[in-house]
Amino acid sequence: MPRKTLADTLAARESIYVNCGHPMCCKSTKLDIQALIDRLGRDHGSMHDDLVGLFVCSNCKAAGRDRRQVFFTCIPDYEGQQRARNRDWKPTFEKR
C-alpha cells in the first residue's frame, strides 16, 4: 500500500491537528504542513506512526504532568470538494 506523504497532504489541502492525550489538557494545535516539509522533507510520511514521535505537549511538560501520547486529526478540504462538486451545477427553474 502506498504511503501518504506530507507532499500529498499539502497537495490535497488537508489540515492536520495534533492533540494532547492527557485528560487534564486536551490541547489541540493546527500543524503547518509546509514547515514540516521544510524540516522533514516532502517524502516524509504524514500518517500517525510517521509523526507521533515528533511531538510532545508543551503545556503538559511545563505543568509537570506525565507524558501522554499525542494523536492526530486530519480534516479534508471540504470547501474545495464542494466547489469541485458544484462547478458544473446550474439551477433550473422548472415546475415539477
Side-chain angles (χ1 to χ4, degrees):
M1 184 167 133
R3 198 173 100 183
K4 187 172 182 180
T5 65
L6 291 172
D8 297 334
T9 302
L10 185 65
R13 300 188 60 184
E14 295 173 339
S15 300
I16 297 179
Y17 290 82
V18 60
N19 309 287
C20 177
H22 198 287
M24 296 289 290
C25 181
C26 300
K27 179 182 176 184
S28 179
T29 304
K30 184 176 180 179
L31 297 179
D32 183 351
I33 304 299
Q34 186 60 54
L36 283 174
I37 288 173
D38 294 343
R39 180 176 171 206
L40 303 171
R42 298 181 58 79
D43 295 330
H44 193 277
S46 64
M47 302 304 288
H48 175 85
D49 290 339
D50 302 319
L51 298 174
V52 72
L54 302 173
F55 295 95
V56 176
C57 180
S58 57
N59 284 1
C60 287
K61 187 175 182 179
R65 295 186 195 110
D66 59 321
R67 182 177 174 175
R68 302 284 177 102
Q69 189 170 7
V70 297
F71 59 97
F72 300 91
T73 305
C74 180
I75 310 292
D77 178 24
Y78 290 118
E79 189 176 309
Q81 291 173 2
Q82 189 71 14
R83 191 172 33 255
R85 189 178 304 125
N86 291 331
R87 185 176 348 167
D88 298 327
W89 181 81
K90 304 225 182 340
T92 59
F93 299 102
E94 300 171 1
K95 292 184 179 181
R96 291 184 190 199

